[in-house]
Amino acid sequence: MAQLWGGRFTKETDQLVYQFNASLSFDRRLYKEDIAGSRAHVRMLAAQGILTEAERDEIVGGLDGIEADIESGKLVFSEEYEDIHSFVEANLIDRIGDTGKKLHTGRSRNDQVALDMRLYTRSVVNETDHLLQELLRALLAKMEENLDTVMPGFTHLQKAQPLTLAHHLGAYYEMFRRDRSRMRDIAVRMNECPLGAGALAGTTYPLDRKMTASELGFFGPTRNSMDSVSDRD
């Protein structure tokens, strides 16, 4: 399969270069986010009159089928594809033909990757926050059970003062409580949608960025297109 960056070269590229640039081995975990972002993008394109409703329905149906086949194991990830984005798009074109090529209208690989990573991060942050909440409940229960359980407190590897096990566990309770605060802060700061930023300076298509942001559960679109595609570090 032709590589996204292959057009700038005139000679055959060594296989090691393909392997170095390939990311499907690890970004395959983003398939749900990639497909969700594509659905929202296509619905917005149809709402803006850039695609017809028939084209929208055909593309969304193809994406639904790809997601179902990945989850059932019917569709297996192949090393011939560079990343999850090219994997989904190529399979879509194989299934529905040239209409599938319109999926990328008004979108760059850059804002697509930025979107997938934000969606994935948001999901992981929410899951981690839930686990931290359960951990805090367990610690609190143990603290309540051990209000009178005495133990030695250490400082500089030496016994210092007596304290209760509840007090000791309470220190970890505070640490993990701060971690939950960090999770909430991350969730708020990254919850803006980069779709529409394009490669770095937007697109000439009349996109409705607020629509895609709303459909994907973001507070709104990002404000600067260059920042949108370059903040992933």
Coordinates of all heavy atoms in Angstrom, one line a residue, residues 130-145 173 176 180:
H130 N -12.4 6.5 37.8 CA -13.4 5.5 38.4 C -12.7 4.5 39.3 O -13.1 4.3 40.4 CB -14.2 4.8 37.3 CG -15.1 3.7 37.9 ND1 -16.2 4.0 38.5 CD2 -15.0 2.4 37.8 CE1 -16.8 2.9 38.9 NE2 -16.1 1.9 38.5
L131 N -11.5 4.0 38.8 CA -10.7 3.1 39.6 C -10.2 3.8 40.9 O -10.2 3.2 42.0 CB -9.6 2.5 38.8 CG -10.0 1.6 37.6 CD1 -8.8 1.3 36.8 CD2 -10.7 0.4 38.1
L132 N -9.8 5.0 40.7 CA -9.3 5.8 41.9 C -10.4 6.0 42.9 O -10.1 5.9 44.1 CB -8.7 7.1 41.5 CG -7.3 7.1 40.8 CD1 -7.0 8.4 40.2 CD2 -6.2 6.7 41.9
Q133 N -11.6 6.2 42.4 CA -12.7 6.4 43.3 C -13.0 5.1 44.1 O -13.2 5.2 45.3 CB -13.9 6.8 42.5 CG -15.1 7.2 43.4 CD -16.3 7.6 42.5 OE1 -16.5 7.1 41.4 NE2 -17.1 8.5 43.1
E134 N -12.9 4.0 43.5 CA -13.1 2.7 44.1 C -12.0 2.5 45.2 O -12.2 2.0 46.3 CB -13.2 1.6 43.1 CG -14.4 1.6 42.2 CD -15.7 1.5 43.0 OE1 -15.8 0.6 43.8 OE2 -16.6 2.3 42.8
L135 N -10.8 2.8 44.8 CA -9.6 2.7 45.7 C -9.8 3.5 47.0 O -9.6 3.1 48.1 CB -8.3 3.0 45.0 CG -7.1 3.0 45.8 CD1 -6.8 1.6 46.4 CD2 -5.9 3.4 45.0
L136 N -10.3 4.7 46.8 CA -10.5 5.6 47.9 C -11.6 5.1 48.9 O -11.4 5.2 50.1 CB -10.9 7.0 47.4 CG -9.7 7.9 46.8 CD1 -10.3 9.2 46.2 CD2 -8.6 8.1 47.8
R137 N -12.6 4.5 48.3 CA -13.7 3.9 49.1 C -13.1 2.8 49.9 O -13.4 2.6 51.1 CB -14.8 3.5 48.2 CG -15.7 4.6 47.6 CD -16.7 4.0 46.7 NE -17.5 5.1 46.1 CZ -18.3 5.0 45.0 NH1 -18.3 3.8 44.4 NH2 -19.0 6.0 44.6
A138 N -12.3 2.0 49.3 CA -11.7 0.8 50.0 C -10.8 1.3 51.1 O -10.8 0.7 52.2 CB -10.9 -0.1 49.0
L139 N -9.9 2.3 50.8 CA -9.1 2.8 51.9 C -9.9 3.4 53.0 O -9.5 3.2 54.2 CB -8.2 3.9 51.3 CG -7.0 3.4 50.4 CD1 -6.3 4.6 49.7 CD2 -6.0 2.7 51.3
L140 N -10.9 4.1 52.7 CA -11.7 4.8 53.8 C -12.4 3.7 54.6 O -12.4 3.8 55.9 CB -12.8 5.6 53.1 CG -13.7 6.5 54.1 CD1 -12.8 7.4 54.9 CD2 -14.7 7.3 53.3
A141 N -12.8 2.6 54.0 CA -13.4 1.5 54.8 C -12.4 0.9 55.8 O -12.7 0.6 56.9 CB -13.9 0.4 53.9
K142 N -11.1 0.7 55.3 CA -10.1 0.2 56.1 C -9.7 1.1 57.2 O -9.4 0.7 58.4 CB -8.8 -0.2 55.3 CG -9.0 -1.4 54.4 CD -9.2 -2.6 55.3 CE -9.3 -3.9 54.4 NZ -9.6 -5.1 55.3
M143 N -9.7 2.4 56.9 CA -9.4 3.4 58.0 C -10.5 3.4 59.1 O -10.1 3.4 60.3 CB -9.4 4.8 57.3 CG -8.2 5.1 56.4 SD -8.5 6.5 55.3 CE -8.6 7.9 56.5
E144 N -11.7 3.3 58.7 CA -12.8 3.2 59.7 C -12.7 2.0 60.6 O -13.1 2.0 61.7 CB -14.1 3.3 59.0 CG -14.4 4.7 58.4 CD -15.7 4.7 57.5 OE1 -16.2 3.6 57.2 OE2 -16.1 5.8 57.2
E145 N -12.2 0.9 60.0 CA -12.0 -0.4 60.7 C -10.8 -0.3 61.7 O -10.7 -1.1 62.6 CB -11.8 -1.5 59.8 CG -13.0 -1.9 58.9 CD -12.7 -2.9 57.9 OE1 -11.6 -3.5 57.9 OE2 -13.6 -3.2 57.0
Y173 N -4.7 7.9 51.3 CA -6.0 8.4 50.8 C -5.8 9.8 50.2 O -6.3 10.1 49.2 CB -6.9 8.5 52.0 CG -8.3 8.9 51.7 CD1 -9.3 8.0 51.3 CD2 -8.6 10.3 51.6 CE1 -10.6 8.4 51.0 CE2 -9.9 10.7 51.3 CZ -10.9 9.7 51.0 OH -12.2 10.2 50.7
F176 N -3.9 9.7 46.7 CA -4.8 9.2 45.6 C -5.9 10.2 45.4 O -6.4 10.4 44.3 CB -5.3 7.8 45.9 CG -4.3 6.8 45.8 CD1 -4.0 5.9 46.9 CD2 -3.6 6.5 44.6 CE1 -3.1 4.9 46.8 CE2 -2.7 5.5 44.5 CZ -2.4 4.7 45.6
R180 N -6.9 12.0 41.8 CA -8.2 12.2 41.2 C -8.4 13.6 40.7 O -9.0 13.9 39.7 CB -9.3 11.9 42.2 CG -9.6 10.4 42.3 CD -11.0 10.2 42.9 NE -12.1 10.5 41.9 CZ -13.3 10.7 42.2 NH1 -13.8 10.7 43.4 NH2 -14.2 10.9 41.2

